[in-house]
Amino acid sequence: EPEVTQTPSHQVTQMGQEVILRCVPISNHLYFYWYRQILGQKVEFLVSFYNNEISEKSEIFDDQFSVERPDGSNFTLKIRSTKLEDSAMYFCASRGGRKGELFFGEGSRLTVL
Amino acid sequence: AQSVSQHNHHVILSEAASLELGCNYSYGGTVNLFWYVQYPGQHLQLLLKYFSGDPLVKGIKGFEAEFIKSKFSFNLRKPSVQWSDTAEYFCAVIPSSGGYNKLIFGAGTRLAVHP
């Protein structure tokens, strides 16, 4: 069964460093998302991406965050200068059509020290 | 704006007990509804979904949910829980009209099943 894959599974970084989280969505999917889950809290929407541009972003997704789909397969989330409060599990998701479920990856755990 | 409320934040049951987790959403239009499960240390997995048709949907592992449109509810049920059902359960909703609408999650319900 096709799946969304994410790398790395766990990254530890120092505050202020740049981090890139990578995702390979399901190959024929058109809609892409990043969510995050701070430990013990709810799953929060960060950003959605369609047709090579951001379609919606949340208040969390400030200027420190960016997304890119550089080569038609990868979908990356970059955090320019990490803060302690960016420590969370980041989930990538993709969706095939206008209607349908989101398929989630296994997540990338980011720990900012 | 759409939102999802899960009324029980933490539920503790004994094995073989029946389970019902409440979920209510607020949105004026047609929605697709989901329940996701997150086992300890793992990622989100889809339990079941409702798009249209029979409001009683059956998912994996013996779970089912009933969509009651008049109550804006999509409660999750299981007649007899097992220890392996210990996990966090998230209700989620997405408008069914648009293409790039986002999935909105409830706060989650943490279920602990004791042997």
Side-chain angles (χ1 to χ4, degrees):
Chain A
E1 185 178 325
E3 57 182 21
V4 177
T5 57
Q6 290 185 242
T7 54
S9 55
H10 191 185
Q11 180 157 358
V12 181
T13 190
Q14 295 291 325
M15 192 168 56
Q17 294 296 304
E18 177 182 283
V19 160
I20 297 176
L21 305 179
R22 291 182 168 79
C23 169
V24 179
I26 295 173
S27 63
N28 60 348
H29 281 189
L30 301 174
Y31 303 91
F32 312 109
Y33 305 81
W34 282 101
Y35 285 79
R36 80 170 185 192
Q37 185 182 30
I38 295 171
L39 187 64
Q41 297 186 26
K42 67 188 292 185
V43 180
E44 301 173 292
F45 169 76
L46 289 179
V47 65
S48 58
F49 192 87
Y50 169 72
N51 201 25
N52 284 320
E53 61 183 18
I54 290 173
S55 47
E56 187 174 354
K57 58 185 181 180
S58 71
E59 292 176 353
I60 303 167
F61 195 89
D62 61 21
D63 292 344
Q64 293 300 312
F65 290 87
S66 63
V67 289
E68 206 175 36
R69 189 161 157 80
D71 56 13
S73 61
N74 291 285
F75 179 50
T76 61
L77 174 69
K78 178 159 62 176
I79 308 174
R80 252 180 285 280
S81 176
T82 49
K83 303 187 282 284
L84 295 176
E85 53 265 37
D86 294 327
S87 294
M89 181 74 90
Y90 289 81
F91 292 104
C92 174
S94 68
R95 182 154 71 118
R98 297 186 67 229
K99 299 182 179 185
E101 69 196 77
L102 272 67
F103 290 83
F104 284 86
E106 294 198 355
S108 294
R109 183 173 296 283
L110 175 65
T111 302
V112 183
L113 302 175
Chain B
Q2 63 201 92
S3 65
V4 180
S5 298
Q6 291 183 242
H7 314 297
N8 315 102
H9 297 296
H10 202 167
V11 173
I12 301 172
L13 294 172
S14 299
E15 274 192 317
S18 65
L19 170 73
E20 180 158 2
L21 302 181
C23 172
N24 286 90
Y25 68 93
S26 67
Y27 181 72
T30 309
V31 295
N32 297 331
L33 296 149
F34 306 83
W35 275 97
Y36 283 86
V37 61
Q38 187 177 31
Y39 297 103
Q42 296 189 28
H43 65 294
L44 294 161
Q45 299 174 44
L46 184 69
L47 262 185
L48 48 77
K49 60 189 176 186
Y50 173 79
F51 287 169
S52 63
D54 188 346
L56 184 62
V57 292
K58 295 192 183 301
I60 60 171
K61 304 186 182 187
F63 285 91
E64 64 178 33
E66 185 176 12
F67 170 52
I68 303 178
K69 190 174 180 180
S70 61
K71 295 184 178 179
F72 297 89
S73 69
F74 190 56
N75 292 354
L76 181 70
R77 298 194 292 251
K78 185 170 183 178
S80 175
V81 295
Q82 301 171 304
W83 175 80
S84 57
D85 293 324
T86 294
E88 189 152 18
Y89 293 81
F90 294 93
C91 182
V93 61
I94 190 168
S96 58
S97 56
Y100 47 79
N101 287 308
K102 61 183 182 286
L103 191 67
I104 298 295
F105 286 87
T109 297
R110 196 174 294 273
L111 171 67
V113 180
H114 295 304

